[in-house]
Amino acid sequence: FAASYGVYAEDPFNLTILGGEYTGTANGIAVTRPEGWATSLGGIIIKNVDLSGTHQYANTGVGLYLHSSYSNFTNVTARYRQYGLQLYGGGSDAVAIYNNISHSDFSNATTYSIWLDEGSGGYQLGDPNYNLIQYTNMSFAGSYALLIEDGSNNTITTENTYFGSANGIQIVQVGGYSFSDHPRGNKIANVDVSGANQYLNTGTGLLLQNARYHNITNVTAKFRQYGARIFDNSDYNNISHSDFSNATTYGIFLDDNGDGVPLRNPDYNYIGFSNLTYSAGYGLYAEDASNLTILRNDFSYSVNGLRFIVNGNELRHANVSNNTFFNNEWGVIISAGTDNLFYYNNFTNASKGFIDTV
C-alpha cells in the first residue's frame, strides 16, 4: 500500500529482487538514475513479483519502471496498470539496451502493456535498443500492446500474446526527424495481433512510422481496419509469410504522410508470400511508394486487389509478379505511376476487370 513505489532504487548495479508483496501500491518497482545522466545501470534481476494495480490504483500507475541495461526480468506480473512495463531511455547514455524480458504478464494496461520509451532527450544513444521480449502477455491493452519509440535491433518473437488489444505493435520515430535516428533493424516474428472482442474489425495490427530495415515474418493481423500500416519514410522493410486478411479497409497500407516531400514516402519495401484476402477495400493500397517488390501474395476475395495512387509525389519502379487475384471487382487499379513492371500474375474471375488505369 505504498503511496508512490513499492521499491525505488537509484543507481544500483547487480541488484536482485526476488518476490515480495506489493499489493495496493500506487506503482510497483522503479530502477532509475537521478537527473544528470549518470552511468547506465546493469546487472539487474527482477523475478517472481506481482506489481499489478489493485484497489484505488487499479488501471493506474506503472508496474515496472526501468532505466536499465544488460538486465533480466522474468515472471513479472503487472496487470491493470496504465503501463505494465516502461523501459525508459533518454539522456546521452545507453540506458535501455540488452534487456531480456520473458515469461511475464503485462496485460490489461489502460494505455501500453510495454512501452520502450526513448525519453525526452532526443539523443540516439538513449534509445531502447537490442532488447528481447519473449513469452510475455501483452493482451487487452487500451491503446497499443507494444510501443517502441526510436528503438532499433529489438527482437519481438516467440510466444508473446496480444489478444484483445485495441492495436497491436507500433514502432515510431519520435526523437526529431533525422535519418540517423530512424528506428531500424527490429525483428518481429511469430506474433498474432489480430482484432478480437470489442476491437474486432478496428485498429491497426502493425504500424511502422519512419521505421527502416525491419524484418517482419509470420505476423498475423486479421480482422483489423489495417492489418499493417507502413507510414511516412518507412523504407527497406521486409514483410513476408504473414496474414493480413479480413481487413475492413486495407490489408496493407503504404501511407505517405501527405506533405508532398518525396523523401517522406514508404519506398523500397518488399511484401511477399502473404495473405491479403477478404479485404473490404483493397488487399494492398500504395500511396507514393516507389521501388516496391510485391511477390507471390494472395489477393483473392478482396473487394479490390492492389491500388497504386499518387498523392503529390510519384510511384514508380514497382515489381509486381506471381501474385494471385481471384474473385475481385478489380484486380489492380493504377491511378498514376511510371515504369512499373507486372508479370506472371494470375487474374481470374474479376467482375469489373483485371487491370484498370485511371
Side-chain angles (χ1 to χ4, degrees):
F1 297 97
S4 181
Y5 280 90
V7 172
Y8 190 91
E10 288 186 346
D11 279 347
F13 281 86
N14 301 313
L15 171 70
T16 298
I17 299 175
L18 302 177
E21 178 62 49
Y22 302 87
T23 299
T25 58
N27 301 276
I29 295 173
V31 178
T32 186
R33 307 168 306 163
E35 292 300 324
W37 300 333
T39 305
S40 59
L41 313 179
I44 311 301
I45 297 173
I46 299 178
K47 187 175 181 180
N48 304 331
V49 296
D50 191 335
L51 312 172
S52 299
T54 61
H55 300 85
Q56 72 268 39
Y57 299 116
N59 304 315
T60 68
V62 181
L64 187 58
Y65 178 85
L66 305 168
H67 278 261
S68 63
S69 297
Y70 300 96
S71 297
N72 288 281
F73 309 98
T74 307
N75 194 26
V76 174
T77 300
R79 305 175 65 194
Y80 300 104
R81 290 293 191 180
Q82 181 178 5
Y83 310 115
L85 165 64
Q86 183 179 357
L87 179 60
Y88 182 84
S92 57
D93 294 323
V95 295
I97 62 172
Y98 293 105
N99 295 288
N100 186 336
I101 300 153
S102 70
H103 299 87
S104 294
D105 186 352
F106 302 107
S107 61
N108 299 91
T110 56
T111 305
Y112 312 128
S113 293
I114 294 180
W115 180 12
L116 303 188
D117 179 6
E118 65 87 36
S120 58
Y123 291 91
Q124 192 172 358
L125 281 174
D127 296 338
N129 301 330
Y130 299 102
N131 298 291
L132 172 65
I133 302 173
Q134 59 183 343
Y135 300 104
T136 289
N137 186 358
M138 292 172 265
S139 300
F140 302 107
S143 180
Y144 277 87
L146 171 63
L147 172 62
I148 300 175
E149 293 181 344
D150 289 350
S152 296
N153 299 301
N154 297 288
T155 299
I156 314 300
T157 186
T158 313
E159 300 296 335
N160 294 307
T161 305
Y162 307 84
F163 182 82
S165 291
N167 301 276
I169 298 171
Q170 180 180 9
I171 301 174
V172 59
Q173 180 188 30
V174 298
Y177 192 83
S178 165
F179 287 112
S180 65
D181 203 27
H182 283 284
R184 62 185 63 214
N186 294 296
K187 179 183 177 182
I188 301 175
N190 310 322
V191 302
D192 190 335
V193 287
S194 299
N197 297 338
Q198 72 268 39
Y199 300 116
L200 187 71
N201 302 320
T202 69
T204 301
L206 174 66
L207 172 59
L208 303 183
Q209 183 174 353
N210 291 331
R212 295 178 146 203
Y213 298 103
H214 287 69
N215 286 299
I216 298 162
T217 308
N218 193 27
V219 170
T220 300
K222 302 170 65 176
F223 300 104
R224 289 292 192 180
Q225 180 181 5
Y226 307 116
R229 184 179 174 207
I230 315 303
F231 179 60
D232 206 342
N233 188 222
S234 293
D235 301 337
Y236 299 102
N237 297 293
N238 185 326
I239 301 170
S240 69
H241 299 88
S242 294
D243 185 350
F244 303 108
S245 61
N246 298 92
T248 56
T249 304
Y250 310 135
I252 296 178
F253 184 15
L254 295 168
D255 183 9
D256 79 347
N257 73 352
D259 68 357
V261 178
L263 290 176
R264 299 188 65 174
N265 302 318
D267 299 328
Y268 295 98
N269 291 294
Y270 171 94
I271 299 168
F273 299 90
S274 291
N275 183 359
L276 303 173
T277 62
Y278 293 99
S279 174
Y282 290 87
L284 193 157
Y285 190 95
E287 289 182 346
D288 292 336
S290 293
N291 297 286
L292 296 176
T293 299
I294 302 171
L295 173 67
R296 294 189 182 276
N297 301 287
D298 188 357
F299 294 84
S300 299
Y301 298 100
S302 288
V303 172
N304 299 285
L306 167 65
R307 183 162 188 176
F308 285 171
I309 186 168
V310 170
N311 186 25
N313 290 301
E314 57 187 1
L315 194 158
R316 61 184 181 176
H317 301 310
N319 186 322
V320 183
S321 65
N322 293 284
N323 299 284
T324 299
F325 298 89
F326 178 74
N327 261 26
N328 310 115
E329 291 185 4
W330 287 102
V332 176
I333 299 177
I334 304 173
S335 299
T338 59
D339 299 318
N340 298 303
L341 180 62
F342 292 78
Y343 62 99
Y344 297 131
N345 296 289
N346 182 8
F347 294 92
T348 308
N349 205 32
S351 63
K352 293 185 177 178
F354 298 148
I355 298 179
D356 183 31
T357 56
V358 295

